[in-house]
Amino acid sequence: MRYARGGGLTPKRQAERERVRLEAAEWFARGEKTTAVAEAFDVGVGRVEKWRRLWREGGAEALRSKGPVCVERLSTGQWERLVRELERGTLAHGWGEEQGWTLVRVRALIIRLFRVEYTVQGVWKLLRRHGWSPQVPARRALERDDVSVARWREEVWETVRPPRRPGTPISASRARQGRA
């Protein structure tokens, strides 16, 4: 499944963010307030303060993108092929029909198709960068007994559940007064 707002910084998304920072630089030059810039660009005040500090030190050039943190090892064509292969499912690649894609399996597929090595964490970052999310099983286990689960929640959970923390913090002096 893909994230609605994207899961990382593709080159296109990186260019959009750079454009926003450069436009914010024009607002800084006009003397606009930080809060106005934050509202206009739908970002936090702290982010705008950081941009303003960089702009003061190095002008608009300081707000330009420094490039990706790391160079993606898969080309655009390879990524598109990987997506097609993932959509074919695990069965088409030798895993069982009921077994879904895991990071280890995606890593093995990338190595098999492209002879490109990724760590499991690298596969996670790659998928996130392209807007993919972790999956949740569509079905519940056949062995699940909803009646037993409900009974356990009512009878056992209430007795073993940790106590709730107070909603309002109290000072140490008030806590000492309460004990005395």
Side-chain angles (χ1 to χ4, degrees):
M1 175 176 14
R2 293 182 182 258
Y3 284 102
R5 294 184 58 167
L9 291 178
T10 60
K12 181 180 177 183
R13 185 85 170 114
Q14 197 171 16
E16 286 175 26
R17 288 188 176 183
E18 180 183 65
R19 183 191 53 75
V20 167
R21 290 191 304 270
L22 293 175
E23 196 171 330
E26 295 172 11
W27 285 53
F28 299 151
R30 291 194 308 254
E32 297 288 341
K33 293 184 182 260
T34 299
T35 53
V37 176
E39 287 177 18
F41 295 106
D42 195 26
V43 295
V45 171
R47 176 67 47 196
V48 175
E49 288 171 350
K50 181 179 178 182
W51 293 348
R52 188 181 295 273
R53 187 172 52 254
L54 288 169
W55 175 75
R56 278 192 201 116
E57 294 169 1
E61 284 302 310
L63 295 174
R64 290 206 178 275
S65 174
K66 307 292 185 277
V69 175
C70 63
V71 177
E72 195 166 298
R73 296 182 199 153
L74 296 182
S75 68
T76 304
Q78 288 173 322
W79 171 254
E80 290 168 0
R81 180 171 177 213
L82 178 63
V83 169
R84 285 192 308 271
E85 296 299 326
L86 291 172
E87 288 171 349
R88 286 180 57 204
T90 55
L91 188 61
H93 295 284
W95 289 288
E97 186 176 346
E98 291 298 316
Q99 298 174 334
W101 286 111
T102 63
L103 295 175
V104 173
R105 290 183 184 143
V106 174
R107 178 181 183 267
L109 182 63
I110 291 171
I111 292 170
R112 188 181 318 145
L113 292 175
F114 310 115
R115 306 275 192 267
V116 175
E117 288 277 342
Y118 272 95
T119 63
V120 173
Q121 184 180 14
V123 171
W124 169 242
K125 290 179 180 179
L126 173 73
L127 293 173
R128 284 280 312 238
R129 189 178 312 121
H130 286 278
W132 289 71
S133 70
Q135 298 298 295
V136 178
R139 296 179 300 245
R140 293 187 177 210
L142 292 174
E143 300 84 9
R144 181 181 170 101
D145 182 359
D146 289 324
V147 174
S148 295
V149 170
R151 186 179 329 114
W152 183 88
R153 281 188 182 150
E154 292 170 4
E155 297 171 7
V156 179
W157 177 240
E158 291 302 319
T159 61
V160 298
R161 178 171 62 178
R164 294 186 67 195
R165 297 176 71 182
T168 57
I170 59 172
S171 68
S173 62
R174 281 185 56 200
R176 275 187 251 124
Q177 290 171 356
R179 276 190 261 140

